Amino acid sequence: MDSAAKHQIPLIYASSAATYGNGEFGYSDDPILIPKLQPLNPYGKSKNEFDKWVLKQTNQPPFWTGFKFFNVFGPNEYHKGRMASVVFHSFNQIQENQQTKLFKSHRPDFKDGEQTRDFIYVKDVVNTIAWFMNHKPQSGIYNLGTGYARPFIALAQATFKALKIEPNIEFVDMPQDIREKYQYYTQADIRRLKRVGKAKAFRSLEISVRDYVQQYLAKNRTW
């Protein structure tokens, strides 16, 4: 950030929806709320600390944006291992034994598989970043999600549908090391994104999963 300011180079960096923690203050990207957020893990905290630092700087690049990425999925995430998306893991499990596994809920207010996130296809993420690079609207920190929360079970069912296989889902215990730091709900408030002119609708979950599964995973297409 300092180098970009010094040399007057535009900068776009990655923040995260993990900054919102349990969502005690909602999911608005209003900069007034950022200092109040309570992330659940070191990853989310590191992103939020940088967001807070950026907002205090007086010496800034000519244009800058921090994107709070929500649950991004899509081609070329094979290198992420355990942290790859449910679509990626479901596809591989289905190919192996015609079944996929989802985490059980460990909260009484959520049924198994109904933990809910704002899933966004990587193609929509790339298109949004390109739009910001080309148009350079108001600098700031923006949510980057679809604005619609969907349950994990819908993601798994869409994967089966893309493969034209009847759903077969097993629920397993969530690992202890992430159980207390797990977000059960996220949904991006994208009103600020729309106000600066990025009004094109994002793909639906089902369309995104079908494209990912049929055009990339099933064809083992990577680059």
Side-chain angles (χ1 to χ4, degrees), residues 18-132:
T19 58
Y20 289 114
N22 279 325
E24 302 96 324
F25 299 99
Y27 297 90
S28 169
D29 49 12
D30 186 334
I32 294 175
L33 296 176
I34 288 174
K36 301 178 182 179
L37 299 179
Q38 298 293 326
L40 298 176
N41 53 47
Y43 171 78
K45 185 173 181 180
S46 71
K47 296 294 188 182
N48 199 53
E49 289 300 311
F50 187 72
D51 288 344
K52 290 192 293 184
W53 179 86
V54 167
L55 292 174
K56 294 177 181 177
Q57 303 310 301
T58 55
N59 185 27
Q60 297 180 337
F63 168 75
W64 65 271
T65 301
F67 280 120
K68 286 178 181 273
F69 293 118
F70 278 66
N71 279 65
V72 182
F73 69 95
N76 270 33
E77 58 175 321
Y78 57 86
H79 61 90
K80 294 172 69 177
R82 178 185 178 189
M83 301 306 293
S85 74
V86 168
V87 180
F88 179 85
H89 288 301
S90 292
F91 173 82
N92 289 320
Q93 291 167 8
I94 293 166
Q95 294 294 97
E96 185 175 344
N97 57 22
Q98 304 290 293
Q99 182 188 63
T100 192
K101 297 178 180 180
L102 294 177
F103 289 145
K104 292 179 182 177
S105 171
H106 294 274
R107 282 176 47 175
D109 51 334
F110 284 85
K111 294 179 181 179
D112 292 344
E114 293 190 3
Q115 303 95 319
T116 304
R117 301 284 182 84
D118 189 332
F119 299 101
I120 184 167
Y121 197 30
V122 70
K123 290 184 178 182
D124 286 325
V125 169
V126 170
N127 288 341
T128 302
I129 293 172
W131 187 90
F132 267 73

Side-chain angles (χ1 to χ4, degrees), residues 128-174:
T128 302
I129 293 172
W131 187 90
F132 267 73
M133 289 173 65
N134 291 325
H135 290 81
K136 296 182 176 61
Q138 181 180 351
S139 293
I141 297 170
Y142 294 87
N143 282 335
L144 187 42
T146 65
Y148 295 97
R150 300 290 301 277
F152 275 98
I153 196 167
L155 201 67
Q157 289 169 340
T159 306
F160 277 103
K161 186 175 181 179
L163 289 167
K164 300 179 181 179
I165 298 173
E166 284 296 313
N168 182 6
I169 300 169
E170 177 187 357
F171 294 100
V172 298
D173 287 331
M174 189 180 299

